[in-house]
Amino acid sequence: MDQADVLILGGGLVGSALAVALDAHGLTSIVVDIADPEVILAAGFDGRASAIASAPWRMLDAIGVIDRIRDRGCPIQGIRVSDGLEPGKLDFVPEAGEGALGHMFENRYLRGALHAAAHAAPHVDLRMKTRAVSVDRGPHGVVATLDSGAVVRASLLIAAEGRNSPTRDAAGLRVARWTYDHAAIVTSLHHEHSHENVAFEIFYPQGPFAILPLNDDAQGHRSAIVWSVRRNQADGMLKLSERGLLDEASKRMGGFLGELGPLGPRSSYPLGFHHAATITAERLALVGDAAHGIHPIAGQGVNVGFRDVATLVEVLVDGKRLGLDLGDAQLLARYERWRSLDTFMVAAATDGLTRLFGIPGRTANAVRRFGLSAVEKLPPLKQRFMAEARGESGDVPRLLQGLRV
């Protein structure tokens, strides 16, 4: 097709989820992405894993994606937060009948399922290894010329290109951004004792150390590790021998998972923060990392993007039913209002936690442990944090409730 309801630039996790969700409601999309599927779907392309919170899980289930990878997800039945290995902790455990707090997926499986779902969707025109060489947004619609020579048209342009979105920058949308003096070392490792489906977030002044449960494999129990280190230490950490890195990890973990190893492939990426002041312009909406990028401290990055998807789909489907142009300024203003507070609160909370737990010294340590213990003893406050972690706080779009719009 050369004409669709929306043109989506970027077919990553968020862009492809948006296309599949729109398809489930009868809306058409053209998805343009420069990536080669053979490269991005290869087993070794991305060693990271993502915690999919319970609300985005319900959305992915409602649009048929979870059926493709249900057995690949490891349920998260609890989250334990601690300040180093000191006494004092905060345990998040769902009530009976509430279901898991989320599911851990290796990104390669998640990406493969979303790509396959988009490829199979009748209302999605997926154009990989393709680039938009020019895009014109005007009063009457969006016209884009692709490097294939094709000219495509839509009512609305969606930027889902990631944190360095050229579409966002070309639209002149201002972004607040800063970098942390940290890099994330990402890997997976096997361990002697079961994680019992619990995720651990251990805070150190040098940065948080997250242990995220994965499904067992032929070699035994396994977890993903997201390890924040000083940026100038990252290269050295990557060059350590496997035994050396496992020894360093064991010190951070205090031995509660027993003997560690073998280690999976490791990678490193710099950590930063960015937040677009405005996520819409004329016939344009931003989703995912094009709109906001946060520290992985609470595992909310891709979940915030999926919340964008659920919100935008509801706004567009409602607009279509009312007979409105999908690029209508009123629809975009509704999306802007609905997402602005949530994304700002999540961004501010993750940035604040990063800075709070990075303060060294005994006094700061004592204050943090007191705070963790206080929240542990206040069920209403604890429930508020759990609702946020699940993606169930505020005005929740229907897709995040597991319902079609």
Side-chain angles (χ1 to χ4, degrees):
M1 68 179 101
D2 288 327
Q3 176 93 36
D5 291 315
V6 302
L7 171 61
I8 303 172
L9 299 184
L13 298 180
V14 173
S16 54
L18 176 61
V20 175
L22 289 170
D23 171 81
H25 293 85
L27 272 67
T28 58
S29 64
I30 298 168
V31 182
V32 174
D33 195 296
I34 191 66
D36 181 343
E38 288 190 13
V39 173
I40 64 170
L41 299 177
F45 174 71
D46 183 353
R48 291 178 293 176
S50 295
I52 304 303
S54 53
W57 160 277
R58 284 193 287 272
M59 178 186 79
L60 295 175
D61 198 19
I63 62 176
V65 174
I66 292 299
D67 284 341
R68 297 173 179 271
I69 48 167
R70 195 175 298 275
D71 61 338
R72 299 289 192 182
C74 181
I76 301 172
Q77 301 293 0
I79 300 172
R80 173 167 290 187
V81 181
S82 65
D83 191 24
L85 300 174
E86 301 283 340
K89 59 181 173 49
L90 180 55
D91 281 321
F92 294 104
V93 180
E95 298 287 334
E98 280 188 338
L101 295 170
H103 291 75
M104 282 301 302
F105 284 98
E106 291 172 73
N107 278 10
R108 58 191 175 122
Y109 296 132
L110 200 56
R111 182 178 292 105
L114 283 163
H115 182 81
H119 197 267
H123 300 302
V124 178
D125 181 354
L126 186 59
R127 305 194 187 194
M128 303 298 289
K129 297 198 291 187
T130 305
R131 185 196 305 272
V133 293
S134 71
V135 182
D136 179 53
R137 293 179 288 112
H140 306 295
V142 178
V143 181
T145 302
L146 310 182
D147 58 4
S148 62
V151 176
V152 297
R153 292 174 170 79
S155 297
L156 179 64
L157 178 66
I158 311 291
E161 305 145 312
R163 61 180 58 224
N164 296 316
S165 168
T167 302
R168 177 198 63 213
D169 295 344
L173 298 179
R174 291 181 297 108
V175 179
R177 67 169 76 237
W178 53 83
T179 56
Y180 299 107
D181 185 29
H182 286 102
I185 305 291
V186 178
T187 186
S188 62
L189 51 78
H190 290 79
H191 39 82
E192 182 183 2
H193 306 314
S194 172
H195 47 56
E196 297 181 347
N197 296 87
V198 175
F200 299 88
E201 188 86 57
I202 307 171
F203 288 96
Y204 291 100
Q206 302 88 352
F209 184 92
I211 308 161
L212 306 164
L214 296 175
N215 286 337
D216 293 354
D217 65 9
Q219 293 176 285
H221 305 307
R222 200 165 58 111
S223 291
I225 301 295
V226 182
W227 184 351
S228 293
V229 299
R230 298 293 181 198
R231 192 173 292 218
N232 60 7
Q233 297 172 348
D235 286 345
M237 295 289 285
L238 291 176
K239 291 173 185 172
L240 276 178
S241 67
E242 176 166 321
R243 187 70 261 162
L245 194 66
L246 288 171
D247 285 345
E248 289 297 320
S250 186
K251 291 175 190 172
R252 301 296 190 286
M253 295 163 70
F256 66 90
L257 289 177
E259 287 292 316
L260 303 181
L263 190 70
R266 47 186 128 152
S267 58
S268 169
Y269 60 97
L271 297 178
F273 170 100
H274 67 274
H275 189 83
T278 307
I279 59 170
T280 59
E282 184 182 24
R283 294 193 180 274
L284 171 66
L286 310 183
V287 295
D289 282 355
H292 34 67
I294 57 179
H295 195 287
I297 193 169
Q300 289 296 307
V302 75
N303 291 297
V304 178
F306 286 152
R307 281 146 75 167
D308 294 342
V309 167
T311 306
L312 185 56
V313 168
E314 186 157 335
V315 167
L316 295 180
V317 171
D318 284 350
K320 185 89 166 181
R321 285 177 183 152
L322 292 171
L324 296 176
D325 178 343
L326 294 188
D328 188 277
Q330 291 180 49
L331 290 182
L332 296 181
R334 183 185 174 204
Y335 172 64
E336 176 91 43
R337 286 193 305 271
W338 200 344
R339 290 304 297 141
S340 59
L341 180 61
D342 178 56
T343 55
F344 178 77
M345 293 299 287
V346 172
T350 53
D351 183 64
L353 280 172
T354 303
R355 296 177 188 280
L356 171 65
F357 280 93
I359 300 171
R362 287 189 173 186
T363 302
N365 180 265
V367 169
R368 288 191 295 263
R369 281 188 289 126
F370 173 79
L372 291 174
S373 298
V375 174
E376 180 75 11
K377 293 168 184 172
L378 289 169
L381 187 55
K382 201 169 169 182
Q383 286 296 323
R384 176 75 182 268
F385 282 126
M386 285 180 66
E388 187 61 49
R390 285 177 175 275
E392 297 168 355
S393 61
D395 185 4
V396 181
R398 288 176 63 81
L399 272 175
L400 295 181
Q401 301 173 48
L403 305 170
R404 294 287 181 94
V405 179

